[in-house]
Amino acid sequence: MARKTARPGRTLALLFLAIAIMFGGIAFAGTWKPELGLDLRGGTEISMTAENSEGGSVPRESLDEAKSIIDQRVNGSGITGGRVTTEGNDVIKVSIPGTGKVQQETAERVRQTAKLRFRLVACSPQKTCGAADPSGSMVEDPSAGTVPGTSPRAAFGGETASASEKATASDKASEKASESADPSASPSASAKPEKQNENKVVKVDDAVEFMRNVPQEWATAYNSFTCPAPGAEPAEDIPGKPLLTCDEDGVPYLLTPAVIEGTEISEASYGIPQQQANYVVTLDFKSEGNKVFADTTGAIAGTGEQFAIVLDAKVISAPTADSRISGGAQISGDFTQESAAALANNLKYGSLPLDFPEDGIQTRVIGPTLAGNQLTAGLWAGLVGLILVVIFSILYYRAMSIVVIGSLLVAGALTYGMILLLSETAGVTLDLPGVAGLIVGIGITADSFIILYERMRDDMRDGRSMRVAVDTAWVRARNTCLASDGVSFLAAFVLYVFATNEVKGFAFMLGLTTIIDVLVFFWFTHPMTKLMAGWGFFNKGHVLSGMDKRAIGTVDAPTGTTLVGGKA
């Protein structure tokens, strides 16, 4: 005996409550129309002309790599319907559906180079900038102005050294900086050691040496440095050179040469940690990056000295370290969910291997790639298919078609609601292939109740009542429908993973309707059928019920001969 469904009315009530909550959230968001794709609505096109930072022509491999990274940024968080193509030998074109605020944020994210580096803080408003004197304390440059709100602080930590040892160390550091500096360079030029590649990071010991023994020319440059106005061109961020820059609040910093590149990041994610209220971005490093990060935090642990997280030549965070840290890092700040997600997305997919100057970036609004009647034709095709399914159900199943129509309505409500929610939260867009996927979903939903009803009729032909037949047929129909939906979902998954962006919309909508079909089959079709089987109109075999003897085939219509087990 099959297990009976307990309280089908309660199952239906919970389903309708879930639908009400879902549409309540949609009403709160104020979004009642799904975002349409490029083919149906048009959007924003960004044309980006690449430039090789090392000079010469743009390598094709670098252009393809940049295209792949940008494509991941545009489509990494959902079915956004964006398209990324190359044109010629140096142009990447990005097409994003829509022209609103979300699209503008996506455009900004695409244009970011996302070059992340970790540096130590040599000078800041909390740390007076000057050369090291023989007593081991920081002194202000007498020829430069004093940084407001700062005071001298100890520059050396750990074991105490003699005055002569400190003086010797200071003299050697000054000689080293003087020998390696370029006399003709501006104050922002690097005091790089001999044979140090400016495009490579430096060792942790070298960065610590610079931080605690700031060369005089850099101290002078910092004390006369003022942050540029908002929107100005960012400072040149070269890994092997010190960096004069600011954070978003206009706080100036002098930073050591970089010790870790953003390419050492293996994973980036965002969220709100336990017992905290603000979003953070969490970074995991590769093995070499993790070792360097641990050495860096170990060198400044407990000293109050800071290391800076620099994104596109701007300080986004400058924390201290209480102890040696290994196993990853967290970037905290005034993040919103959107800004934390954008930063994690950029860091996760890496920095662009090419430069895209501002004068080589053009943005324009584009129209839909398909005529407006294409969407209308697709919707009419779906509506005609739905009407045909309903007519067939009424003619064949009569009053039992109430469950059929109800199942289609519930599936339609769930599908439309999910599309609206995903458009708002994940950037999902509905294009013409997606509409085709939804139309195919009508047939998937129709298959489920047809299998259940035909199983019921088989059991009733064997002499079982409708109440018993619902439970016995459910076991076999459930397994058949799960197998059928499993194959459909697998096909959708394979298409989604391996197909191009143009087909992903179809695959996503096909997979979505398949999952919704399972939910409707378990939470509406079966309990509703079970509920109706308790009504006399159906279990007593009324001629209009669709479950009378003639309808299920136990009575021969011309002669009235009763059939038992399919035999006269």
Side-chain angles (χ1 to χ4, degrees):
M1 176 66 68
R3 180 176 62 87
K4 296 184 179 180
T5 302
R7 299 183 181 180
R10 183 172 62 180
T11 302
L12 293 171
L14 291 175
L15 172 64
F16 288 120
L17 177 62
I19 294 176
I21 293 174
M22 179 177 65
F23 278 94
I26 294 172
F28 180 78
T31 302
W32 294 101
K33 291 183 178 180
E35 294 290 337
L36 299 181
L38 283 168
D39 53 354
L40 302 176
R41 180 187 180 186
T44 303
E45 183 183 80
I46 308 170
S47 178
M48 307 168 61
T49 302
E51 183 179 273
N52 190 352
S53 58
E54 299 180 356
S57 60
V58 175
R60 186 67 195 184
E61 297 79 8
S62 298
L63 189 69
D64 291 338
E65 182 183 353
K67 171 182 175 293
S68 176
I69 293 173
I70 293 175
D71 184 63
Q72 290 173 322
R73 290 183 184 179
V74 172
N75 296 301
S77 59
I79 312 299
T80 62
R83 297 177 184 173
V84 183
T85 58
T86 58
E87 185 176 279
N89 297 321
D90 59 355
V91 176
I92 294 179
K93 285 192 174 182
V94 184
S95 302
I96 307 169
T99 57
K101 179 181 177 181
V102 174
Q103 286 71 30
Q104 294 301 322
E105 291 176 351
T106 304
E108 290 299 322
R109 185 166 69 247
V110 165
R111 296 164 65 167
Q112 287 181 354
T113 54
K115 291 181 179 178
L116 182 78
R117 295 188 174 102
F118 290 79
R119 300 170 179 263
L120 294 174
V121 176
C123 304
S124 72
Q126 290 75 38
K127 182 179 181 181
T128 304
C129 194
D133 71 355
S135 64
S137 63
M138 300 298 290
V139 296
E140 296 177 352
D141 176 19
S143 64
T146 303
V147 180
T150 64
S151 59
R153 60 182 298 176
F156 291 93
E159 298 181 359
T160 302
S162 66
S164 60
E165 289 173 340
K166 294 175 182 176
T168 303
S170 177
D171 293 340
K172 289 181 178 179
S174 298
E175 292 173 2
K176 183 178 181 181
S178 300
E179 291 172 358
S180 59
D182 182 2
S184 63
S186 64
S188 61
S190 170
K192 66 184 180 66
E194 291 185 8
K195 299 181 181 179
Q196 166 65 34
N197 188 342
E198 294 179 350
N199 294 318
K200 301 292 184 180
V201 297
V202 301
K203 296 180 179 180
V204 175
D205 292 342
D206 293 337
V208 172
E209 179 72 16
F210 182 96
M211 175 182 65
R212 295 176 179 169
N213 298 277
V214 180
Q216 184 64 49
E217 64 270 24
W218 281 103
T220 303
Y222 173 77
N223 287 323
S224 60
F225 174 72
T226 56
C227 292
E233 189 72 18
E236 186 179 17
D237 186 359
I238 300 176
K241 291 184 177 183
L243 177 65
L244 273 171
T245 187
C246 301
D247 63 9
E248 293 181 352
D249 297 324
V251 177
Y253 289 89
L254 171 61
L255 307 177
T256 70
V259 293
I260 304 177
E261 283 276 20
T263 52
E264 289 297 320
I265 294 174
S266 61
E267 183 64 31
S269 59
Y270 72 98
I272 301 177
Q274 293 183 352
Q275 300 180 348
Q276 294 189 30
N278 298 322
Y279 281 93
V280 301
V281 177
T282 303
L283 306 178
D284 291 325
F285 295 101
K286 300 174 184 176
S287 57
E288 182 62 26
N290 187 58
K291 179 181 181 299
V292 175
F293 182 73
D295 292 342
T296 304
T297 53
I300 65 173
T303 64
E305 293 167 328
Q306 301 167 282
F307 68 93
I309 303 172
V310 184
L311 179 67
D312 290 341
K314 181 179 291 185
V315 176
I316 59 175
S317 182
T320 59
D322 295 330
S323 61
R324 182 185 179 92
I325 303 173
S326 60
Q330 283 186 349
I331 304 175
S332 60
D334 296 329
F335 287 121
T336 62
Q337 180 180 4
E338 291 77 15
S339 61
L343 177 57
N345 192 37
N346 279 359
L347 299 180
K348 179 179 179 180
Y349 295 124
S351 59
L352 298 178
L354 298 170
D355 293 330
F356 294 91
E358 285 293 328
D359 56 2
I361 300 178
Q362 299 178 351
T363 303
R364 68 186 184 96
V365 177
I366 58 175
T369 57
L370 294 177
N373 60 359
Q374 296 292 325
L375 176 60
T376 303
L379 295 177
W380 271 109
L383 181 61
V384 169
L386 182 62
I387 292 174
L388 290 176
V389 171
V390 170
I391 292 175
F392 168 81
S393 301
I394 293 175
L395 294 177
Y396 195 70
Y397 294 112
R398 301 177 188 177
M400 286 299 293
S401 62
I402 294 174
V403 182
V404 176
I405 298 172
S407 297
L408 292 173
L409 291 176
V410 171
L414 286 173
T415 303
Y416 191 72
M418 288 301 300
I419 292 174
L420 293 179
L421 288 177
L422 291 172
S423 293
E424 183 69 19
T425 59
V428 171
T429 58
L430 184 63
D431 53 12
L432 197 60
V435 173
L438 295 178
I439 294 174
V440 173
I442 297 176
I444 294 176
T445 303
D447 285 344
S448 299
F449 58 71
I450 288 176
I451 292 172
L452 176 60
Y453 285 177
E454 293 305 317
R455 294 292 192 188
M456 287 173 56
R457 287 184 170 185
D458 288 342
D459 289 340
M460 292 176 69
R461 291 190 189 100
D462 291 337
R464 296 184 178 91
S465 67
M466 183 178 177
R467 291 180 179 178
V468 176
V470 171
D471 293 322
T472 56
W474 165 249
V475 176
R476 293 186 294 167
R478 176 188 62 195
N479 295 337
T480 302
C481 287
L482 286 176
S484 175
D485 285 339
V487 172
S488 297
F489 184 80
L490 181 60
F493 177 78
V494 172
L495 278 176
Y496 180 80
V497 172
F498 295 104
T500 61
N501 287 334
E502 287 75 9
V503 184
K504 284 184 183 293
F506 172 83
F508 182 83
M509 293 303 169
L510 178 60
L512 179 64
T513 53
T514 302
I515 294 174
I516 290 177
D517 173 60
V518 175
L519 297 177
V520 172
F521 189 56
F522 276 77
W523 289 0
F524 182 84
T525 305
H526 179 218
M528 189 65 185
T529 305
K530 178 72 175 176
L531 195 65
M532 293 173 65
W535 300 348
F537 178 82
F538 293 97
N539 61 42
K540 293 182 179 179
H542 190 280
V543 67
L544 296 179
S545 67
M547 290 295 174
D548 58 296
K549 293 183 178 180
R550 180 175 299 176
I552 64 176
T554 57
V555 171
D556 184 72
T559 63
T561 303
T562 301
L563 301 178
V564 178
K567 297 181 180 180

